[in-house]
């Protein structure tokens, strides 16, 4: 299945006839054009100077195009003069830049442009961010794309110079910090996005991943970074191709800028269209439209799931295939070759739902040529109707349907194999340990539990988009911070993991401890090697079904094609910036989980703070020491966050 068509625009440094440029770009296959709102060399003096009293309009008329063309085909570009002196210490120059910028922002709103690009050339951007924030808060029709170079001019020049990569004027040369500072001051408004200008020499993959974790709306592809193949057509290097594909997965748009260096501008657009066509795996196809979409975790123990929910999970091509393989191996091990005609295996499916595991168990027994007796235990009375219908029509006496909570059922006999699919996105967040601990009483001493072990994993996450989505959630009957105190199941897309996931809590079944206690505590330490901002913690799990049969949603061991579980997100109320001025600076989230047996709920506390090296901390004030604490009730989703 091919991906969606790439959206590509053409950048004009200056426009003589706007309608002609629009027609030329359209004939070349471009979807829109980017043009300056005013002539780049048109000087405006609003405070003092000879040009203050000059008559005439500062730019072209809106009558040149229809409203629909302005609204969909034109991306405005703020001129450099409008932002050049915004941080200047000379009051008259600063005020003149502010008036010029306000004039262009107002005219862009008058035209109804879909987007407006603003250049960011330094980390000194407090005044610019303040003005843009105030304008967006007032309500504007356009999106603001902040154009940031992937590499600072000093860094690009260092490839050709022998001196150090240090800016002599004291400016920060890491352009991500420019954007991060601007975005933080602008209050991370949803209408403000990143317009990344791709460099000829791409930085390390970790730096690219950090950019890909930002809300990229558009990528500028200068003609100077393109190569020429043997036939004279423009192409990109292999590394640039991979980066473009990553941008396309984020639904970013592209703009071709710079002078023409090949036969025609249309060949740039055609090449981008060519390299962004790709095959989509089942998980990506299933998750289309759900990227970074926040969902509250299911609570099947508290709520009865709907038929549609069961149907979605039953379509998973991998999960039940692996369950059947695990049950086949378990049945084969329990029944010797010489006893296959006489010995009957008792298999119990606890939490049977509409019966997918029952069907797979019968298929596994048929493959193993073994006799099987199945108990299907389900507490949802609506799903029991479906189980009983299948028992009458297909299964017959081989299956006994039990309408009861597994923890309260008094089984007539012990089971050889106990099968369940009670796992949540964090492994234990749907009370699987508590349910299976209560159900293991009717498992034989040498019985097999499928799964027999599962481990939760945690990793720090950077995602301004997800943080902004959560911050904009509002409900009348809830505190405005309640949404930061709720875990979310989400298909993580526009993000960067700041460190590899580390194992957190492991649960094994059957639980042979003398005193069963599911309270857990563990402190994790993550090494972060770059300046970043932590917006939350991503949770995953790995489950071992039987022997080497495993299910996983952890990125490096993910069961390919499985979509029954998305990762879980634990958001932080306040982002935690991490400055790695010391080579051994690190971030340490302390994670505690404990069971409240009286209310039959699982509570988890997340303590997150950065702890830099003490010696370095005494030498530098740049390292951050912040704290977030979150209590999570996995059953009722009640939690609270404190610093």
């Amino acid at each position: 299945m091919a991906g969606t068509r790439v959206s590509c625009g053409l950048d004009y440094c200056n426009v003589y006839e706007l309608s002609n440029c629009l027609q030329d770009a359209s004939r070349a296959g471009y979807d829109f054009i980017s043009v300056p709102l005013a002539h780049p060399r048109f000087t405006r003096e609003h405070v003092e100077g000879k040009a203050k009293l000059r008559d005439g309009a500062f730019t072209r008329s809106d009558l040149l195009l229809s409203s629909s063309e302005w609204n969909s085909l034109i991306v405005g570009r703020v001129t450099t003069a409008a932002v050049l002196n915004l941080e200047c210490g000379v009051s008259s120059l600063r005020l003149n830049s502010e008036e010029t910028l306000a004039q262009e922002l107002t005219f862009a709103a008058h035209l109804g442009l879909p987007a407006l690009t603003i250049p960011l050339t330094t980390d000194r951007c407090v005044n610019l961010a303040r003005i843009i924030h105030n304008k967006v808060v007032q309500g504007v029709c356009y999106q603001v794309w902040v154009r940031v170079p992937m590499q600072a001019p000093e860094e690009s020049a260092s490839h050709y110079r022998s001196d150090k990569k240090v800016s002599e004027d004291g400016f920060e040369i890491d352009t991500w910090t420019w954007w991060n500072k601007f975005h933080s001051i602008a209050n991370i408004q949803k209408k403000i996005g990143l317009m990344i200008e791709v460099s000829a020499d791409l930085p390390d993959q970790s730096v690219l991943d950090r950019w890909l974790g930002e809300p990229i709306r558009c990528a500028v592809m200068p003609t100077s970074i393109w190569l020429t193949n043997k036939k004279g057509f423009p192409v990109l290097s292999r590394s640039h191709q991979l980066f473009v594909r990553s941008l396309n997965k984020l639904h970013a748009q592209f703009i071709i800028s710079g002078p023409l260096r090949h036969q025609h501008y249309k060949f740039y657009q055609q090449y981008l269209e060519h390299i962004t066509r790709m095959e989509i795996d089942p998980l990506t196809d299933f998750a289309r439209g759900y990227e970074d979409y926040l969902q509250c975790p299911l609570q099947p123990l508290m709520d009865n799931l709907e038929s549609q929910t069961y149907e979605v999970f039953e379509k998973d091509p991998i999960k039940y295939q692996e369950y059947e393989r695990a049950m086949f191996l378990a049945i084969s091990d329990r029944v010797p070759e010489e006893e296959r005609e006489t010995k009957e295996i008792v298999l119990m499916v606890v939490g049977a739902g509409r019966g997918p595991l029952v069907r797979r168990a019968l298929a596994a027994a048929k493959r193993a040529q073994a006799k099987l007796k199945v108990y299907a235990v389900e507490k949802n009375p609506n799903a029991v109707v479906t189980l009983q219908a299948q028992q009458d029509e297909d299964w017959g006496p081989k299956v006994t349907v039990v309408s009861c909570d597994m923890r309260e059922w008094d089984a007539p006999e012990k089971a050889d194999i106990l099968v369940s699919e009670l796992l949540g996105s964090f492994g234990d967040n749907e009370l699987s340990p508590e349910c299976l601990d209560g159900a293991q009483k009717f498992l034989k001493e040498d019985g097999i539990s499928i799964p027999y072990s599962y481990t939760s994993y945690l990793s720090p996450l950077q995602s301004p988009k997800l943080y902004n989505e959560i911050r904009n959630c509002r409900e009348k009957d809830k505190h405005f911070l309640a949404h930061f105190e709720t875990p979310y199941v989400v298909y993580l897309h526009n993000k960067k993991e700041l460190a590899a996931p580390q194992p957190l809590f492991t649960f094994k079944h059957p639980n042979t401890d003398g005193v069963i206690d599911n309270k857990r505590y563990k402190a994790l330490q993550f090494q972060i090697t770059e300046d970043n901002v932590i917006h939350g913690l991503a949770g995953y799990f790995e489950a071992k079904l039987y022997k080497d049969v495993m299910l996983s949603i952890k990125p490096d061991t993910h069961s390919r094609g499985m979509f029954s579980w998305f990762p879980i997100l634990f958001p932080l109320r306040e982002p935690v910036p991490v400055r790695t001025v010391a080579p051994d600076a690190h971030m340490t989230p302390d994670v505690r989980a404990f069971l409240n047996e009286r209310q039959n709920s699982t509570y988890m506390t997340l303590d997150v703070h950065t702890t830099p090296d003490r010696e370095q901390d005494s030498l530098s004030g740049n390292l951050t020491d912040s704290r977030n604490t979150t209590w999570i009730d996995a059953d009722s989703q009640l939690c609270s966050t404190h610093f």
Side-chain angles (χ1 to χ4, degrees):
M1 182 177 181
T4 57
R5 181 181 181 276
V6 64
S7 176
C8 191
L10 186 60
D11 181 66
Y12 286 90
C13 62
N14 190 32
V15 175
Y16 181 68
E17 287 290 344
L18 186 60
S19 58
N20 291 343
C21 292
L22 194 58
Q23 292 175 5
D24 293 341
S26 179
R27 283 193 293 266
Y30 290 92
D31 301 286
F32 60 92
I33 62 174
S34 172
V35 298
L37 290 173
H39 195 286
R41 294 193 300 173
F42 183 75
T43 303
R44 283 158 283 170
E45 295 176 334
H46 301 277
V47 180
E48 59 184 13
K50 296 181 179 180
K52 181 179 180 180
L53 302 177
R54 181 171 50 197
D55 296 329
F58 78 96
T59 188
R60 60 179 62 87
S61 169
D62 58 348
L63 297 178
L64 295 176
L65 299 176
S66 65
S67 296
S68 60
E69 291 174 321
W70 285 114
N71 295 343
S72 59
L73 302 178
I74 305 296
V75 171
R77 188 168 72 247
V78 171
T79 56
T80 304
V83 298
L84 182 62
N85 294 314
L86 284 176
E87 311 297 329
C88 181
V90 181
S91 178
S92 59
L93 295 178
R94 185 183 70 255
L95 292 175
N96 189 72
S97 281
E98 290 179 359
E99 290 291 334
T100 303
L101 178 59
Q103 184 182 52
E104 297 190 10
L105 294 177
T106 302
F107 191 69
H110 170 72
L111 296 176
L113 300 181
L116 184 67
T117 69
I118 296 177
L120 188 63
T121 58
T122 174
D123 66 331
R124 299 177 183 177
C125 56
V126 175
N127 198 25
L128 174 62
R130 176 189 63 82
I131 295 173
I132 298 301
H133 168 75
N134 292 340
K135 192 67 177 179
V136 171
V137 167
Q138 293 173 7
V140 292
C141 60
Y142 51 78
Q143 291 187 2
V144 177
W145 294 351
V146 183
R147 181 168 178 168
V148 184
M150 185 172 287
Q151 289 183 328
E154 293 90 342
E155 188 174 2
S156 300
S158 67
H159 295 294
Y160 310 99
R161 297 171 57 181
S162 59
D163 53 348
K164 296 182 179 180
K165 296 183 182 180
V166 177
S167 178
E168 296 179 356
D169 56 7
F171 283 66
E172 175 64 62
I173 66 170
D174 182 1
T175 57
W176 178 86
T177 62
W178 301 359
W179 158 252
N180 183 59
K181 183 177 181 179
F182 176 91
H183 205 203
S184 300
I185 298 172
N187 210 16
I188 319 184
Q189 295 291 334
K190 289 186 67 176
K191 280 188 170 289
I192 300 176
L194 173 62
M195 183 182 188
I196 185 70
E197 184 176 346
V198 182
S199 58
D201 298 315
L202 292 181
D204 296 338
Q205 186 61 44
S206 61
V207 177
L208 294 179
D209 290 339
R210 184 173 60 174
W211 283 117
L212 292 172
E214 300 294 339
I216 298 179
R217 299 286 185 268
C218 185
V220 179
M221 308 291 294
T223 55
S224 58
I225 71 172
W226 294 74
L227 307 176
T228 305
N229 65 8
K230 294 180 179 179
K231 296 184 179 180
F233 293 104
V235 295
L236 292 172
S237 66
R238 181 60 59 87
S239 59
H240 281 87
Q241 292 179 39
L242 296 175
F243 186 62
V244 166
R245 291 192 179 103
S246 298
L247 291 170
N248 187 53
K249 290 179 181 179
L250 298 178
H251 310 295
Q253 297 174 281
F254 297 89
I255 288 182
I256 303 299
S257 70
L260 181 63
R261 298 173 183 268
H262 296 84
Q263 300 95 323
H264 200 280
Y265 275 111
K266 68 179 180 180
F267 296 125
Y268 299 109
Q269 187 274 338
Q270 291 174 355
Y271 183 79
L272 289 177
E273 186 76 30
H274 168 69
I275 65 174
T276 52
R277 294 182 187 141
M278 64 191 75
E279 295 297 320
I280 300 178
D281 59 63
L283 174 61
T284 304
D285 189 31
F286 174 81
R288 185 187 299 274
Y290 286 93
E291 298 92 343
D292 298 322
Y293 179 76
L294 302 174
Q295 306 175 72
C296 289
L298 295 174
Q299 297 299 327
L301 189 64
M302 182 174 64
D303 304 321
N304 290 328
L305 302 183
E306 298 177 350
S307 178
Q308 183 179 6
T309 304
Y310 285 119
E311 182 179 357
V312 169
F313 290 130
E314 289 170 8
K315 292 179 179 179
D316 195 310
I318 302 300
K319 178 175 71 172
Y320 294 111
Q321 172 184 308
E322 294 301 286
Y323 262 101
E324 180 179 339
R325 188 159 71 96
M327 288 187 283
F328 169 76
L329 295 174
I331 293 172
S332 300
D333 290 345
R334 295 288 292 185
V335 184
E337 184 73 27
E338 61 275 9
E339 297 182 12
R340 290 190 175 180
E341 298 294 331
T342 58
K343 185 175 181 179
E344 184 179 60
I345 294 294
V346 177
L347 185 146
M348 295 181 181
V349 179
V350 290
R354 300 198 309 177
L357 286 180
V358 176
R359 294 190 291 271
R360 292 289 185 164
L362 295 175
K366 185 176 180 180
R367 285 176 53 199
Q369 299 179 353
K371 292 185 177 182
L372 186 68
K373 182 178 182 180
V374 179
Y375 288 91
V377 184
E378 175 56 48
K379 78 168 188 66
N380 185 351
N382 304 310
V384 169
V385 174
T386 306
L387 292 172
Q388 291 173 338
Q390 294 179 88
Q391 181 187 26
D392 295 338
E393 298 172 5
D394 301 321
W395 300 334
K398 294 183 291 185
V399 178
T400 301
V401 177
V402 180
S403 180
C404 183
D405 190 314
M406 69 183 75
R407 297 167 297 175
E408 302 172 357
W409 180 44
D410 187 12
E413 57 183 319
K414 297 280 189 175
D416 295 283
I417 303 173
L418 183 67
V419 184
S420 65
E421 51 173 337
L422 306 174
L423 299 174
S425 295
F426 201 47
D428 61 317
N429 63 296
E430 293 183 10
L431 298 179
S432 176
E434 290 70 43
C435 292
L436 293 182
D437 288 345
Q440 72 179 26
K441 60 186 178 183
F442 41 78
L443 182 66
K444 293 180 180 179
E445 291 186 1
D446 62 342
I448 299 172
S449 176
I450 300 177
Y452 70 90
S453 174
Y454 41 88
T455 302
S456 55
Y457 289 80
L458 207 63
S459 67
L461 195 73
Q462 169 194 317
S463 180
K465 180 181 179 181
L466 285 172
Y467 177 80
N468 195 48
E469 291 286 344
I470 298 170
R471 195 183 64 167
N472 289 330
C473 292
R474 292 290 187 272
E475 291 187 35
K476 293 182 180 180
D477 57 340
K478 290 186 177 181
H479 192 273
F480 70 96
L481 291 177
H483 294 283
F484 281 105
E485 300 165 351
T486 303
Y488 296 95
V489 173
V490 56
Y491 179 58
L492 300 174
H493 189 60
N494 190 183
K495 51 78 181 176
K496 181 194 176 183
E497 283 192 353
L498 306 182
Q502 295 185 21
L504 190 62
F505 302 137
T506 298
F507 296 89
K508 296 184 178 181
H509 301 286
N511 192 336
T512 58
D513 295 341
V515 177
I516 295 179
D517 185 0
N518 287 316
K519 295 177 183 177
R520 297 287 191 274
Y521 169 81
K522 189 173 184 179
L524 300 179
Q525 186 176 94
F526 296 95
Q527 190 78 21
I528 296 180
T529 59
E530 295 175 327
D531 293 351
N532 283 287
V533 177
I534 305 164
H535 295 99
L537 301 172
Y540 311 95
F541 78 88
E542 282 183 348
K544 298 178 181 179
L545 301 183
Y546 184 71
K547 291 186 174 179
D548 61 341
V549 183
M550 184 181 73
L551 295 177
S552 173
I553 64 170
K554 192 159 73 81
D556 57 336
T557 60
H558 195 286
S559 300
R560 183 175 176 80
M562 186 178 69
F563 53 74
S564 285
W565 296 278
F566 289 158
I568 194 168
L569 172 66
F570 300 103
L572 301 182
R573 189 178 70 180
E574 293 291 341
V576 179
V578 178
R579 296 282 292 173
T580 56
V581 295
D584 53 354
H586 57 271
M587 188 276 286
T588 307
D590 294 332
V591 183
R592 302 178 179 88
F594 60 91
L595 173 68
N596 186 318
E597 297 180 352
R598 177 176 298 177
Q599 297 182 12
N600 194 28
S601 304
T602 297
Y603 292 83
M604 181 179 296
T605 69
L606 296 175
D607 295 333
V608 180
H609 60 280
T610 56
T611 54
D613 179 77
R614 292 187 179 275
E615 180 179 354
Q616 292 288 344
D617 189 39
S618 63
L619 299 176
S620 172
N622 292 328
L623 292 176
T624 304
D625 187 6
S626 304
R627 177 175 289 269
N628 278 273
T629 306
T630 303
W631 282 271
I632 300 168
D633 177 350
D635 191 45
S636 61
Q637 300 303 321
L638 299 175
C639 16
S640 60
T641 305
H642 301 282
F643 277 88

